[in-house]
Amino acid sequence: MQEDKKAKKTNKKRNRAFMRLAILSLLVLAIGYTIYNSVTADNVEVLRVGDKAPDFTLEDMDGNRHKLSDYQGEGVFLNFWGTWCEPCVKEMPAMDRQYKEYEEQGVHILAVNIAQSDFEVQSFADRFDLSFPIAIDKSRSVMTAYNIRPLPTTVLVNPEGDIQRIITGEMTEQDIKGFMEEIKPQ
């Protein structure tokens, strides 16, 4: 009986040592992975006001191709968003109203959804009866090129193709109207 207790105690110590070793190994792997990712990560430049807006081509929900450089001479209200993003949901109807006011004046909205399904995006657009072009950045390449972090983020591109302003967070209708005035061709 005494030997049985000793054997159980030895097994408990062995199991405890094994668990500690397993946890330590996982921590070392996690730290190593983090360091490796930091060292090998792509060096993405942060865009600034005044930089040339990176060109891209995306297809909208109607199958039309939109190349940013095709809008040269006009203002582009480039809005990055997601259907799950509450501020995005709030600002979309206001964006649509202002789009209807400013489209004839040379200001265009291109809403870039970040990698959601066609069904989700189309359902969202139908729910709000949105009239501006909506494209899905399925590969997240445009999001990466523009170094987009929080959603929503809006990049104002002036008629010369330069970044006029970068807005993060929710916009009011007055904000949107003012921003569209900023990028309206003279």
Side-chain angles (χ1 to χ4, degrees):
M1 178 124 168
Q2 191 72 343
E3 287 178 22
D4 201 29
K5 279 186 177 181
K6 262 188 172 179
K8 283 184 180 179
K9 200 172 196 180
T10 303
N11 279 342
K12 272 188 174 179
K13 283 184 180 181
R14 192 177 305 129
N15 287 343
R16 198 175 308 135
F18 178 75
M19 283 301 283
R20 287 179 181 160
L21 182 61
I23 291 170
L24 182 61
S25 298
L26 284 173
L27 285 172
V28 168
L29 284 172
I31 291 169
Y33 177 76
T34 302
I35 291 170
Y36 174 78
N37 263 356
S38 297
V39 171
T40 61
D42 290 339
N43 189 10
V44 177
E45 284 189 40
V46 175
L47 294 173
R48 294 192 174 101
V49 170
D51 289 349
K52 189 58 92 183
D55 201 14
F56 63 86
T57 303
L58 288 175
E59 193 172 294
D60 69 20
M61 299 302 293
D62 296 326
N64 301 313
R65 295 173 63 81
H66 296 268
K67 185 173 183 177
L68 185 64
S69 57
D70 289 345
Y71 291 99
Q72 192 73 27
E74 301 177 304
V76 179
F77 190 93
L78 189 56
N79 180 262
F80 294 88
W81 67 285
T83 62
W84 47 266
C85 162
E86 206 47 49
C88 302
V89 173
K90 290 179 183 175
E91 67 188 14
M92 285 288 178
M95 284 172 46
D96 195 60
R97 285 189 294 275
Q98 292 307 312
Y99 173 70
K100 290 173 182 170
E101 293 290 320
Y102 281 89
E103 182 185 23
E104 293 295 318
Q105 299 176 50
V107 177
H108 302 277
I109 289 180
L110 182 55
V112 180
N113 176 272
I114 307 300
Q116 290 187 266
S117 73
D118 290 359
F119 178 77
E120 287 174 297
V121 175
Q122 190 62 60
S123 295
F124 182 91
D126 292 345
R127 186 170 106 202
F128 292 102
D129 195 28
L130 301 175
S131 58
F132 51 78
I134 298 174
I136 302 175
D137 185 12
K138 294 180 191 248
S139 67
R140 298 176 186 245
S141 61
V142 179
M143 181 184 104
T144 301
Y146 280 79
N147 201 26
I148 300 301
R149 289 293 171 242
L151 293 182
T153 293
T154 301
V155 178
L156 302 181
V157 181
N158 66 25
E160 292 75 38
D162 299 327
I163 295 174
Q164 179 84 22
R165 184 187 294 255
I166 301 169
I167 305 112
T168 57
E170 184 179 343
M171 299 173 287
T172 66
E173 189 153 359
Q174 277 305 110
D175 294 335
I176 294 165
K177 182 179 177 113
F179 295 145
M180 288 190 166
E181 278 293 327
E182 271 186 43
I183 57 173
K184 183 170 76 170
Q186 297 302 325

